[in-house]
Amino acid sequence: MRYCIIGNSAAAVGAIEGIRLLDRENPITVISDEPYHTYSRPLISYFLAGTKEEEGMIYRPKDFYRKNNVEVLLGKKAVSLDTVAGEVVLADGQKIAYDKLLLATGGKPFIPPVKGLSAINEGIFTFIKLDDAKELQQHAGAGKTAVIIGAGLIGLKAAEGLIKLGVDVTVVDLAPHVLSSILDEKAAQLVQRHLVGKGLKFHFGVTADAITENDGKKIVALADGTEITADMVIMAVGVVPNHGLAKDSDIEINRGIVTDNHMETSIKGIYAAGDVAENYDLLAGENRVIPILPNAYQQGNTAGINMTGNEVVYPGGFAKNAIGFFGLAMTTAGLVKDKDAEEYVNAADDSYVKLLVKDHKLVGFIRINAVDRSGILTGLMIDRVDVSGMLESLLSVEPGLIVLPADTRHSRLEGGAVTWR
Ligand SMILES: Cc1cc2nc3c(=O)[nH]c(=O)nc-3n(C[C@H](O)[C@H](O)[C@H](O)COP(=O)(O)OP(=O)(O)OC[C@H]3O[C@@H](n4cnc5c(N)ncnc54)[C@H](O)[C@@H]3O)c2cc1C
């Protein structure tokens, strides 16, 4: 049995650990187009800001590959799959034969069609990998200016890193407020106040129509006629599944690579996991891409175990985010935009808690400056507990374990608590 994994991040690590749980012998080859030991992608903004060294970003210890008997091919891009012969073809022509293959190729930045963008060779960045942070760092510094297109998690994380380096940052988004996929208007206002206090400037409800260059400076023309001049432009509109390899073979793709509850694709022996794959969203009741690190790890781990010929079922997941911006902490989870859910809100000047409830079950929440014990709420969502009698306690900034029904409380206290990897 020869295992091959394309990608070297959370889903790949989950798969290696899943395989080695049950098979210590057979060879595993990992192919990665990045030149680095596996690292934690969410830390790139701290690296950019200079508050995290490269060494401190590793996702597993330096001896991880050796201890797990993994041959890792770094800086090698897989360019095609021969699903009949069972081979991965690399950019340098090398062929890697496999019996079981995992596609863990993650996401790639979505670049919107902005007029003039493709004609500019320097000073345009994306922000999803360590090399992006390194390049940006070389251009950033006090007195420099940046426009970030996209006020989502990645755009704001890039903004935080740049502000800490003394860069003057303006963020542009078509949405009416920051983090529009996970926050409502009121929660976003709280976050925006905090970010404006740290020096960020915003333009909402408007697109960047064109980018031109004059004497090395970029001029971003917004649809409302505003022009912003900057040294650099960061495209952070979103991330889409990086499924090119599957697209060129016969593997079924929807938005992400379609997988079953074993994380196997439509071709037997080929699995997919992480930001490239779609699988069951427990709360939405349908298959989706849920591009967060804990899901990538768990899906990869499930795939790894199944690749050994043993069987485990992926239970499904849902979106959860634990994010901090300049010391402001927030957690969100589940269907925070569900229009059919009942909403319960506890808003103060510096904190915000919102619960979304459907059929007496918690299906989503937003908690800002109230993140302690968020794991209790995700636990209630996973266990589908009737929360009718505990809404007041759950709305408090620090709900105690006592709000839980006795059996749920015991399982949480005995180590069943949800962990945020
Ligand atoms: C700035 C930032 C902040 C984030 N913050 C959070 C957070 O706070 N919490 C959270 O849960 N998630 C966060 N995320 C998302 C999280 O990082 C991803 O969900 C997670 O990394 C997905 O893991 P993955 O293994 O699926 O893929 P990825 O981490 O995307 O890794 C895929 C790897 O495959 C490689 N690859 C792709 N194609 C090929 C090929 N053809 N050949 C060889 N190699 C290839 C890629 O270069 C990459 O190294 C953040 C992401 C970013 C960018």
Side-chain angles (χ1 to χ4, degrees), residues 10 21 35 64 67 82 107 170 237 277 292 307 317 329-330 340 347 387 405 415:
L21 207 57
F64 175 70
K67 276 199 165 157
D82 183 337
T170 304
V237 172
I292 57 168
M307 285 161 81
M330 71 182 89
D340 298 332
V387 294

Side-chain angles (χ1 to χ4, degrees), residues 6-12 31-34 41-42 44-45 76-79 104-107 127-129 153-154 157 242 245 273-276 291-294 296 320-323:
I6 308 178
N8 182 28
S9 187
I31 302 163
S32 173
D33 59 4
E34 290 192 80
R41 201 164 295 282
I44 63 172
S45 58
K76 301 269 184 183
K77 189 176 174 69
V79 291
T105 47
F127 193 63
I128 68 158
K129 53 189 185 182
L153 168 71
I154 290 176
K157 275 289 165 194
N242 186 12
L245 282 173
D275 287 10
V276 74
I292 57 168
L293 196 144
K320 346 184 218 323
N321 289 284
I323 321 165

